[in-house]
Amino acid sequence: MKKSLWALLMIVAAFTLVLAGCGSKEDTSSDGSTSGSTSDSSEGKKVYKVGTEATFAPFESVDDKGNIVGIDVDVLQAIADEMDFEVEWKNIGWEPVFQSIKNSETDIGASGITINDERKQTYDFTDPYYESQLLIVVKEDSNIKSLAELKDKKISVQINATGHMAAKKLQGDASTNIMAFDTQPMAIQEMLNSNVDATIGDNAVVYEYMKANPKAKIKVIKDDNFEKEYYGFMVRKGNDELLSLLNEGLQKIKDNGKLKEITGTDFK
Ligand code: ARG
């Protein structure tokens, strides 16, 4: 009895060691520094982990085969091809896109992320690759015509996205009329369900939603009180090596026309 208990304990101990060994694999980059989650591919190329929230077509969505596809995927791949590195995409959710950069679980945030001063305090951003603007979306029969008219209305947004920031700016941070959701499609759905009067989201994504849901009885309201926004790729603050790599590649695909080919808009 005693012997078999020992044997069992040994097996458990050995198993635990094996597991611990798997879990603690140090992410060490080739220069020996432990800078984030970078690893090397079989061909010796650097592999950067990319965090995204893939319900944001046309920038990132999951296709019917389970692949993450979209403009961000194509742009970053074009940069990777130019600069000879690889990327590994992770569909982790919107807020984790930020958190995982902070705690080095990912290297790059690529998620239609608007560059703004608030975020620049905590993260570094590449040069911009896409211009965007917020839009108001309401039911087809709504009387709302402007952002100002949303002052006392119920608004749905994606949490901590720029639409959320715009809603707070209009109604105040503590407003109980702002409903924040994990994804932009969820925010739109809330408006379709008549739980809110309007939703605010990124123009290209709203238009893509309307294309994909032609029967949805909704209309958009443009308002120039929304500032122009610029998307960039996000890295950990101070990760200058990766930032220059991305910026150099981005400049190349701006110069050779590849960026325009992917996004459909010229952007220098
Ligand atoms: N551009 C907006 C922002 O940066 C929304 C981005 C949301 N992206 C996403 N993949 N869900 O706040």
Side-chain angles (χ1 to χ4, degrees):
M1 177 65 198
K2 224 180 177 185
K3 245 189 190 165
S4 56
L5 189 64
W6 264 112
L8 188 67
L9 273 176
M10 292 304 283
I11 290 167
V12 171
F15 197 61
T16 311
L17 275 176
V18 169
L19 278 182
C22 296
S24 68
K25 184 178 161 289
E26 261 278 55
D27 287 316
T28 311
S29 50
S30 53
D31 60 359
S33 68
T34 50
S35 63
S37 53
T38 330
S39 56
D40 290 336
S41 75
S42 47
E43 298 102 79
K45 289 190 194 178
K46 281 219 168 149
V47 183
Y48 292 104
K49 291 205 172 78
V50 184
T52 195
E53 190 280 301
T55 68
F56 205 64
F59 295 94
E60 46 267 328
S61 56
V62 179
D63 73 7
D64 42 20
K65 292 186 201 79
N67 299 317
I68 303 172
V69 295
I71 291 174
D72 281 341
V73 179
D74 295 346
V75 172
L76 202 53
Q77 191 55 52
I79 294 174
D81 290 345
E82 288 289 345
M83 305 307 291
D84 214 29
F85 64 85
E86 288 179 16
V87 285
E88 189 186 319
W89 284 79
K90 304 204 168 293
N91 186 12
I92 54 181
W94 175 239
E95 294 193 287
V97 165
F98 294 83
Q99 204 52 47
S100 67
I101 293 280
K102 238 199 257 175
N103 53 36
S104 299
E105 284 158 17
T106 56
D107 305 289
I108 303 170
S111 209
I113 306 173
T114 301
I115 306 167
N116 65 24
D117 288 341
E118 192 185 325
R119 291 172 181 165
K120 276 203 280 194
Q121 291 181 5
T122 318
Y123 307 93
D124 282 342
F125 287 89
T126 62
D127 297 329
Y129 62 89
Y130 194 85
E131 184 183 293
S132 166
Q133 195 168 17
L134 293 171
L135 278 180
I136 299 165
V137 192
V138 293
K139 289 261 190 74
E140 223 163 58
D141 56 4
S142 165
N143 296 321
I144 294 167
K145 284 186 185 60
S146 69
L147 179 59
E149 285 171 53
L150 294 184
K151 182 98 177 98
D152 307 303
K153 296 282 193 296
K154 283 205 163 90
I155 310 175
S156 62
V157 292
Q158 180 177 21
I159 191 159
N160 291 338
T162 46
H164 194 183
M165 296 170 191
K168 284 195 205 163
K169 193 169 152 201
L170 182 72
Q171 299 194 345
D173 283 0
S175 172
T176 52
N177 276 333
I178 303 170
M179 317 290 153
F181 296 87
D182 284 339
T183 71
Q184 186 152 311
M186 284 165 83
I188 296 176
Q189 191 56 50
E190 195 68 0
M191 185 269 300
L192 284 170
N193 294 350
S194 306
N195 294 330
V196 294
D197 303 293
T199 185
I200 300 177
D202 294 38
N203 51 3
V205 177
V206 168
Y207 289 134
E208 187 76 12
Y209 181 93
M210 292 171 84
K211 225 166 59 185
N213 300 275
K215 292 207 181 93
K217 293 193 168 10
I218 56 181
K219 64 182 178 190
V220 301
I221 299 157
K222 295 185 195 173
D223 191 314
D224 279 331
N225 289 305
F226 290 125
E227 283 163 20
K228 291 251 182 303
E229 299 184 12
Y230 298 92
Y231 293 171
F233 298 112
M234 186 173 79
V235 301
R236 194 162 43 256
K237 204 159 189 57
N239 194 352
D240 296 341
E241 191 187 310
L242 177 55
L243 196 61
S244 333
L245 190 74
L246 293 174
N247 273 334
E248 203 182 310
L250 179 55
Q251 193 55 52
K252 286 191 176 172
I253 65 166
K254 283 181 181 176
D255 292 342
N256 68 17
K258 185 82 193 171
L259 181 68
K260 184 180 177 193
E261 196 183 296
I262 296 169
T263 63
T265 55
D266 210 357
F267 193 91
K268 290 285 170 198

